[in-house]
Amino acid sequence: MASTAKQKIWDFYNIKPGAPIFKKEFGYYVLDRWIGEGYLKPRSEVADYDKYLRELFDYDEPMVHNLGGLGWCEAAFIPAFEEKILEDRGDCELVQDFAGRALLCFKGRRQGFMPEYVDHPVKDMKTFEENVKWRLAVEAPGRMAGEAKAALAAKAAREDGKVVVQQTIGGYMYLRSLIGPEDLLYAFYDDPELIHACMKAWLELADAVVAEHQKVVDLDELFLAEDICYNGGCLISPDMMREFLFPYYQQLIENTRKRNGGRTLHIQIDTDGRADGVIDLYRGIGMDYMSPFEVAAGCDIVGVSQKYPDLRLSGGIDKRKIAEGGDAVKRHLEAILPPLRKRGGFIPTCDHGVPEETSFENYMLYRKLMKEYCD
């Protein structure tokens, strides 16, 4: 009898050797192209577009239920900053986004490209307290209003056999969104008091929201959206990680486990870039799941799987090979899928969003091959 999506997701977490592989995708940047070419129905014609794509591309029914309330690539501000145009620059405009950053965008267009980040809301302790800290207050009006309801939905999902995951912005991504990628690196040296103040606010909010959820449902996973690496490795030193991030992570993890009713709590770190140099560091605070292992940055998911047989892995499929198609993607999957299925504990996905240059024909070839390896 064919394995159900429920069996497959729990076999993944249990790292069951040889089990059928759970099938999902990381995301897409190519859908508008495929819609325009007539391969996909327009979004306006489909009530549930995610379901439509799952059925078309042979993905499993979602078996992870995500709890939020703690941000993603930006902090969970209440209230958010006012979104407004700061300056007209002809073909471009300088805008303030919901996270308080000044972004240079094409006029009238905010999505589908990487804007230039011109400014960030935190410069020093004064601007942190005036612009940001109060927006992270646990007692902010409406902060907890929806979290009890969200926890009830998660409890119902658990009863259906789904994995319950608490998502939160990781410390590095959080600090970067407040201070800016370059200024943050100086701040670690020049203003460590500011960094600790920011992280104390991060921990206070995260612990309170997680505790609210755990009043109703135990968690299976704590997911930290970190993005701490680039194509050359980690963006900050191990000593910086140990000083400015890990004490807060360890406290949140310890508190969450104490409240979790004895249920196993997995820790996932999600970071783009070359991640092999930080695996041991994160394992030291309990990480047992990592994603998405970008091949273009030098990640070797087969090598990582052999070195860390108890580490759950997701991602690892080269977006460039999917776009190339033909023998290139066949050879790529042949090198990865057989040894990873034999090992277990692997969910293959494109190592980021499926890129716009991917033809529909090449993606369908990829899906056909993946079905042969996964089922």
Side-chain angles (χ1 to χ4, degrees):
M1 186 176 69
S3 293
T4 64
K6 175 182 175 181
Q7 288 173 317
K8 288 193 278 187
I9 197 66
W10 288 108
D11 284 345
F12 161 76
Y13 278 94
N14 292 327
I15 313 184
K16 183 177 178 180
I21 295 175
F22 190 84
K23 296 176 293 185
K24 71 172 189 174
E25 187 55 276
F26 185 102
Y28 305 90
Y29 296 118
V30 69
L31 296 183
D32 287 341
R33 171 187 168 178
W34 291 344
I35 292 170
E37 293 173 343
Y39 292 109
L40 300 181
K41 296 178 181 178
R43 293 178 178 85
S44 60
E45 295 181 5
V46 181
D48 186 340
Y49 214 77
D50 287 341
K51 181 180 179 182
Y52 166 62
L53 294 178
R54 286 198 308 273
E55 293 175 350
L56 179 64
F57 298 138
D58 188 42
Y59 288 111
D60 285 308
E61 177 188 354
M63 290 304 300
V64 170
H65 183 93
N66 293 312
L67 282 162
L70 291 173
W72 187 245
C73 294
E74 298 82 18
F77 292 137
I78 294 181
F81 285 81
E82 179 187 1
E83 297 187 56
K84 59 185 178 180
I85 297 174
L86 301 174
E87 184 181 335
D88 188 322
R89 296 190 180 182
D91 292 338
C92 297
E93 53 191 12
L94 190 68
V95 303
Q96 177 174 288
D97 73 357
F98 70 96
R101 301 169 297 193
L103 280 58
L104 190 62
C105 303
F106 296 116
K107 185 171 287 184
R109 182 181 173 198
R110 304 285 175 84
Q111 305 296 329
F113 68 99
M114 178 63 73
E116 180 182 345
Y117 290 84
V118 176
D119 200 10
H120 291 74
V122 174
K123 308 287 190 299
D124 49 31
M125 192 69 76
K126 182 175 183 291
T127 52
F128 170 62
E129 292 178 347
E130 290 180 351
N131 297 335
V132 166
K133 186 176 180 180
W134 61 277
R135 299 177 190 270
L136 298 172
V138 173
E139 64 275 11
R143 170 76 70 187
M144 295 298 183
E147 299 310 322
K149 183 177 180 180
L152 287 172
K155 183 179 180 181
R158 158 71 48 67
E159 291 169 356
D160 286 340
K162 294 184 178 181
V163 177
V164 176
V165 176
Q166 173 66 63
Q167 296 184 323
T168 183
I169 185 171
Y172 179 79
M173 185 115 78
Y174 160 78
L175 292 168
R176 185 181 68 188
S177 73
L178 298 184
I179 301 171
E182 184 175 345
D183 289 343
L184 174 59
L185 300 181
Y186 286 101
F188 283 123
Y189 286 99
D190 298 337
D191 202 349
E193 183 181 355
L194 172 63
I195 302 297
H196 282 297
C198 292
M199 289 304 300
K200 287 175 183 175
W202 176 92
L203 174 61
E204 182 178 352
L205 177 58
D207 196 46
V209 171
V210 172
E212 185 70 16
H213 293 156
Q214 287 182 293
K215 291 177 182 177
V216 177
V217 62
D218 295 332
L219 305 178
D220 296 301
E221 181 188 313
L222 179 64
F223 177 106
L224 293 167
E226 189 74 294
D227 276 6
I228 199 169
C229 298
Y230 73 117
N231 64 359
C234 192
L235 287 157
I236 62 176
S237 72
D239 285 345
M240 287 178 176
M241 295 168 70
R242 294 186 187 101
E243 179 178 354
F244 295 110
L245 302 181
F246 286 178
Y248 304 97
Y249 290 179
Q250 288 171 313
Q251 189 64 62
L252 178 61
I253 292 168
E254 178 183 344
N255 293 354
T256 302
R257 284 192 165 131
K258 284 180 179 178
R259 296 187 294 255
N260 213 40
R263 193 175 184 91
T264 297
L265 180 71
H266 299 285
I267 310 297
Q268 181 178 176
I269 299 294
D270 172 90
T271 178
D272 298 339
R274 183 156 189 170
D276 52 344
V278 299
I279 292 176
D280 286 329
L281 291 165
Y282 282 111
R283 281 169 64 83
I285 62 165
M287 179 193 75
D288 60 0
Y289 183 179
M290 198 172 208
S291 60
F293 295 98
E294 288 193 289
V295 183
C299 292
D300 172 11
I301 200 160
V302 175
V304 170
S305 73
Q306 293 169 344
K307 185 174 181 180
Y308 303 99
D310 59 342
L311 182 63
R312 292 149 192 85
L313 311 166
S314 182
I317 305 300
D318 192 340
K319 65 180 76 66
R320 301 166 302 175
K321 299 299 183 184
I322 298 173
E324 188 175 350
D327 288 341
V329 72
K330 291 178 182 178
R331 290 192 299 268
H332 183 58
L333 297 183
E334 176 60 28
I336 294 174
L337 269 297
L340 266 296
R341 176 160 180 172
K342 181 178 179 181
R343 170 196 184 267
F346 175 54
I347 296 177
T349 73
C350 180
D351 57 5
H352 216 281
V354 179
E356 190 174 12
E357 60 267 27
T358 308
S359 71
F360 187 78
E361 292 87 354
N362 283 347
Y363 192 73
M364 292 303 286
L365 170 63
Y366 163 67
R367 294 306 313 141
K368 177 179 179 292
L369 295 170
M370 288 293 286
K371 178 177 176 61
E372 295 172 2
Y373 285 115
C374 294
D375 288 350

